[in-house]
Amino acid sequence: MFAHHHGCRGTGQWPWAEIGTGFDQHVLACIFARALKEVEAGGTTATEATGLSRAELQDVLARDFPATAINTFALEEASDPEPSLEEELLRDLLLAHARPGDPSGARFAKIIARRAMRNDHLWQDLGLFNRAELSRLLATHFPRLASGNTQNMKWKKYFYRKLCEAEGFSLCTAPSCGQCNDFENCFGAEEGESRG
């Protein structure tokens, strides 16, 4: 079902992904498609791949997707994920900037923090089609945090910069980004194919 979503989205057959909560459902379908590939490849469970507890994952699947999707994830074999300290810090940063009264924000904070531990661009780690979809997701659920990325820094780099600032230090050696030898690493194009 989630792979089918990617195929249909590529042909423009998912118009609901452009409006309201349909976009959130599109994002979740992308994330779950990516997670399912990892589960099927072995070495991880659905809860480890998403950062959601069994109960949270079961709730999202039951509410937003056909009941048959629950069986696909083999939740009976999954235990609740244990976040690393780094993941907890990132999740807390996102939660601190979540839109008030937005229950989806907490779910996305967990997912984004877990997926950010992967090695690709964050939009690829989430199985999204491009960086613009990630920017839209962040602006929707974490508007204060997203609006601070005025220089269009890569999202993972931006999150870590914010974490460093919160602790009162900087990992950057240059006095400004424009003088940094590593500028492309933080601000360069985020090209590539979707990993969904």
Side-chain angles (χ1 to χ4, degrees), residues 4 6 11 35-36 50 99 136 156-157 161 193-194:
H4 175 72
H6 262 263
T11 62
L36 190 56
T50 63
R99 183 182 300 280
R136 179 178 173 184
K156 284 184 187 179
K157 296 282 188 181
R161 174 179 266 185
E193 294 189 23
S194 175

Side-chain angles (χ1 to χ4, degrees), residues 23-24 27 108 112 133-142:
F23 180 71
D24 282 359
V27 170
F108 282 122
I112 291 167
E133 288 187 333
L134 173 59
S135 296
R136 179 178 173 184
L137 175 69
L138 295 170
T140 299
H141 295 287
F142 311 97

Side-chain angles (χ1 to χ4, degrees), residues 5-53:
H5 172 78
H6 262 263
C8 290
R9 177 70 160 107
T11 62
Q13 295 178 11
W14 289 94
W16 50 263
E18 301 305 324
I19 56 173
T21 58
F23 180 71
D24 282 359
Q25 191 174 24
H26 157 70
V27 170
L28 288 170
C30 290
I31 292 165
F32 293 157
R34 181 80 178 116
L36 190 56
K37 283 183 179 181
E38 293 175 4
V39 170
E40 290 172 347
T44 192
T45 65
T47 54
E48 291 168 347
T50 63
L52 298 175
S53 70

Side-chain angles (χ1 to χ4, degrees), residues 1-176:
M1 182 230 159
F2 300 112
H4 175 72
H5 172 78
H6 262 263
C8 290
R9 177 70 160 107
T11 62
Q13 295 178 11
W14 289 94
W16 50 263
E18 301 305 324
I19 56 173
T21 58
F23 180 71
D24 282 359
Q25 191 174 24
H26 157 70
V27 170
L28 288 170
C30 290
I31 292 165
F32 293 157
R34 181 80 178 116
L36 190 56
K37 283 183 179 181
E38 293 175 4
V39 170
E40 290 172 347
T44 192
T45 65
T47 54
E48 291 168 347
T50 63
L52 298 175
S53 70
R54 282 175 54 179
E56 290 168 325
L57 191 52
Q58 197 163 18
D59 179 57
V60 172
L61 290 170
R63 185 180 60 245
D64 294 328
F65 300 99
T68 55
I70 294 174
N71 298 332
T72 307
F73 281 98
L75 291 177
E76 65 280 350
E77 300 169 14
S79 59
D80 288 348
E82 288 294 327
S84 66
L85 177 58
E86 181 180 355
E87 183 181 338
E88 284 182 8
L89 290 170
L90 182 51
R91 184 188 63 213
D92 291 346
L93 172 73
L94 290 162
L95 288 172
H97 291 87
R99 183 182 300 280
D102 176 15
S104 297
R107 175 178 56 235
F108 282 122
K110 287 182 176 184
I111 294 169
I112 291 167
R114 174 56 57 107
R115 301 303 301 171
M117 301 297 109
R118 304 300 197 272
N119 295 322
D120 289 322
H121 297 303
L122 184 54
W123 63 269
Q124 290 174 316
D125 295 329
L126 292 167
L128 299 175
F129 289 90
N130 53 49
R131 177 188 161 92
E133 288 187 333
L134 173 59
S135 296
R136 179 178 173 184
L137 175 69
L138 295 170
T140 299
H141 295 287
F142 311 97
R144 288 187 304 125
L145 184 64
S147 67
N149 190 358
T150 59
Q151 299 297 316
N152 205 25
M153 182 178 257
K154 292 179 182 179
W155 285 111
K156 284 184 187 179
K157 296 282 188 181
Y158 177 71
F159 293 156
Y160 283 97
R161 174 179 266 185
K162 298 304 284 181
L163 288 172
C164 288
E165 287 174 1
E167 294 298 319
F169 67 91
S170 174
L171 294 176
C172 300
T173 56
S176 72

